[in-house]
Structure formats: C-alpha cells, structure tokens
C-alpha cells in the first residue's frame, strides 16, 4: 500500500475538482444548529450527511440537486437534541428552535436517505419513518 501511495502521489497533493468546488460552496453557507424543542428527537442513520434542496419539487421536471442552488442544504444530525444544517438562507441566529413537526420533517429526510440502519433515541412512537426493512438501534 505504501508503494502504491508513493507511486501515485498526485491525488494526495491536489484535491479533486469536486472537493474544491464542494468546499468553496460550503464555505459560503451558514452553519445553523436546529435544537429539538419538543418531545420528538432527531434520529440518525448509516448515511448521516444529507444534501437536500427543499425547493427542488417546485422546479418542475427539469429540476435537479445542485450545490450551486440558492436553497441547497446540508443536514447532519449531531445528537438527539441537535441537528447541524448548512444553509444559504439568511437566518438571524446560529441556533433555532425546532418544534416537533420540524424535527419530524428532518427525520423523514434522514430516514429516506438511510441505506439500512436508523438510530433512534427515546420513544419510538413519536417517529414517522419511511420504508421497511430498516434495522433500528
């Protein structure tokens, strides 16, 4: 493995175009912590980092997920009480209260993007999940 790395150092030295593009766009986004303010808590999954555009459904049949979109968001649940969201929205605070309905929307997004595992803390009755065949932890 060391010999392979020594023979092919270019990928280690120069980041790919996609890495540079992704980092330059994320740098323009605002980190916001959504805090679960009710009884429903955030879930996580085996695919916790999610790129989503809440406005994509309004774009018609030719809309696609793109980092350059002004409404793209990157969502990462951090704890059952907090979810980190990188957004381009002009929000006045770095912390926002997320009522149960908002947490459930995040949880639907997280569950819909999971491969096979969903991690839930606390009461399972308050969680609305998509799909069957998930392993719950």
């Amino acid at each position: 493995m060391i010999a392979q790395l020594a023979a092919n150092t270019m990928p280690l030295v120069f980041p790919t175009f996609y890495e540079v593009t992704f980092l330059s766009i994320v740098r323009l986004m605002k980190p916001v912590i959504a805090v679960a303010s009710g009884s429903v808590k955030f879930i996580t999954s085996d695919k916790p980092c999610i790129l989503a555009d809440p406005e994509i459904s309004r774009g018609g049949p030719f809309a696609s997920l793109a980092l350059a979109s002004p409404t793209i968001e990157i969502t990462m649940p951090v704890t059952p009480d907090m979810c980190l969201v990188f957004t381009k929205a002009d929000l006045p605070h770095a912390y926002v209260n997320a009522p149960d309905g908002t947490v459930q929307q995040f949880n639907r997004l997280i569950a819909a993007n999971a491969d096979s595992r969903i991690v839930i803390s606390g009461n399972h009755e308050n969680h609305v999940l998509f799909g069957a065949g998930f392993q719950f932890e």
Side-chain angles (χ1 to χ4, degrees):
M1 183 164 142
I2 303 271
Q4 289 175 340
L5 291 175
N8 191 15
T9 59
M10 292 307 277
L12 298 173
V13 176
F14 296 105
T16 67
F17 170 76
Y18 299 106
E19 291 170 332
V20 170
T21 303
F22 180 78
L23 291 174
S24 64
I25 291 172
V26 170
R27 213 174 336 155
L28 299 174
M29 299 175 87
K30 181 177 184 174
V32 175
I33 300 286
V35 180
S37 60
S39 63
V40 178
K41 302 301 178 188
F42 292 105
I43 65 172
T44 191
S45 74
D46 51 3
K47 233 173 140 180
C49 183
I50 300 162
L51 285 128
D53 191 335
E55 298 295 321
I56 203 165
S57 63
R58 297 181 190 170
F62 301 107
S64 64
L65 189 62
L67 280 173
S69 168
T71 54
I72 192 80
E73 294 178 345
I74 302 170
T75 304
M76 294 178 279
V78 181
T79 71
D81 292 315
M82 289 189 256
C83 185
L84 175 61
V85 180
F86 287 93
T87 181
K88 293 179 182 177
D90 188 23
L91 298 173
H93 304 290
Y95 287 87
V96 294
N97 285 328
D100 286 347
T102 302
V103 175
Q104 286 177 336
Q105 287 178 337
F106 276 112
N107 288 347
R108 285 186 193 103
L109 177 68
I110 294 163
N113 283 278
D115 281 332
S116 62
R117 294 188 184 273
I118 296 173
V119 180
I120 298 175
S121 120
N123 186 354
H124 296 253
E125 295 172 11
N126 289 331
H127 295 284
V128 178
L129 306 174
F130 289 154
F134 287 109
Q135 291 181 359
F136 296 97
E137 297 178 5

